[in-house]
Amino acid sequence: MLRERLREMDLRITELADYLRVSRPTIYKFIDCYDNKNFGAINGEILVLFNYITENELVGKKSVIAFIVTHLTGGDSVKKSSAAMVVENYLKENPQSKKSRFITECMENDEFNDIICYLVDIVSILHKKTLTAKDKKFLAPFNSFKKEINFTEE
């Protein structure tokens, strides 16, 4: 898990919090969310950092610090990712839309996590020009759902 990985690198939570300009309890919360695969509850740039740490076995403390300095910027707290800013702006501009209500529901509970994971997985398949038999089988629940529901543009 992430906490053990940080320990292996001799990177203390207090140090990490200082580099990221967030509180130690916030880092603990984000680490717990990461270990529980609740990625939506983690600041976008911190999530990128956590992925960098866990996906690169050879990364060490100096590399993590260099990554933070090079890739993450912040004022009082870590700067929001551009995707987070786009979502935030959409929610502000369209608070009553179905999409906004769905995004809010997804952030407030874990009821849709499996569906969201599936949707994320099919995005790349939906953009393919030619589908394999495996792709078609994977898309079958999505296509069936689309046929059952009348989708209307907002």
Side-chain angles (χ1 to χ4, degrees):
M1 308 272 241
L2 183 58
R3 200 170 298 193
E4 289 81 17
R5 182 75 178 98
L6 293 171
R7 216 173 284 127
E8 289 172 10
M9 295 183 327
D10 195 31
L11 183 59
R12 292 185 309 248
I13 301 294
T14 305
E15 268 182 299
L16 189 58
D18 288 344
Y19 285 121
L20 294 171
R21 298 182 187 166
V22 296
S23 69
R24 192 175 43 79
T26 298
I27 291 294
Y28 279 116
K29 180 183 106 180
F30 285 161
I31 290 171
D32 289 340
C33 289
Y34 190 84
D35 287 343
N36 290 316
K37 298 184 183 349
N38 184 10
F39 304 123
I42 305 170
N43 171 286
E45 289 189 351
I46 293 177
L47 180 59
V48 169
L49 174 67
F50 288 175
N51 287 335
Y52 173 74
I53 291 169
T54 59
E55 293 171 2
N56 297 290
E57 293 179 40
L58 301 177
V59 73
K61 182 177 180 176
K62 288 181 182 179
S63 300
V64 171
I65 294 166
F67 184 91
I68 292 169
V69 170
T70 308
H71 295 90
L72 307 181
T73 58
D76 295 331
S77 62
V78 176
K79 184 180 170 185
K80 290 180 186 171
S81 70
S82 59
M85 289 173 30
V86 168
V87 171
E88 185 176 317
N89 289 337
Y90 182 86
L91 292 173
K92 284 179 185 174
E93 293 170 11
N94 306 286
Q96 296 304 316
S97 73
K98 288 181 181 180
K99 187 185 288 187
S100 290
R101 294 190 338 244
F102 180 72
I103 291 168
T104 302
E105 281 297 320
C106 290
M107 296 307 295
E108 291 176 354
N109 67 65
D110 295 333
E111 188 69 28
F112 299 104
N113 284 359
D114 293 336
I115 295 168
I116 292 168
C117 291
Y118 173 73
L119 293 174
V120 168
D121 289 344
I122 68 169
V123 168
S124 61
I125 297 171
L126 291 172
H127 294 297
K128 287 184 175 181
K129 292 183 181 187
T130 308
L131 298 178
T132 65
K134 184 179 176 182
D135 292 337
K136 290 176 184 176
K137 183 177 179 181
F138 194 70
L139 286 174
F142 177 71
N143 290 328
S144 176
F145 180 74
K146 277 179 56 176
K147 287 178 186 173
E148 293 293 324
I149 304 296
N150 286 330
F151 284 95
T152 57
E153 303 269 335
E154 286 193 60

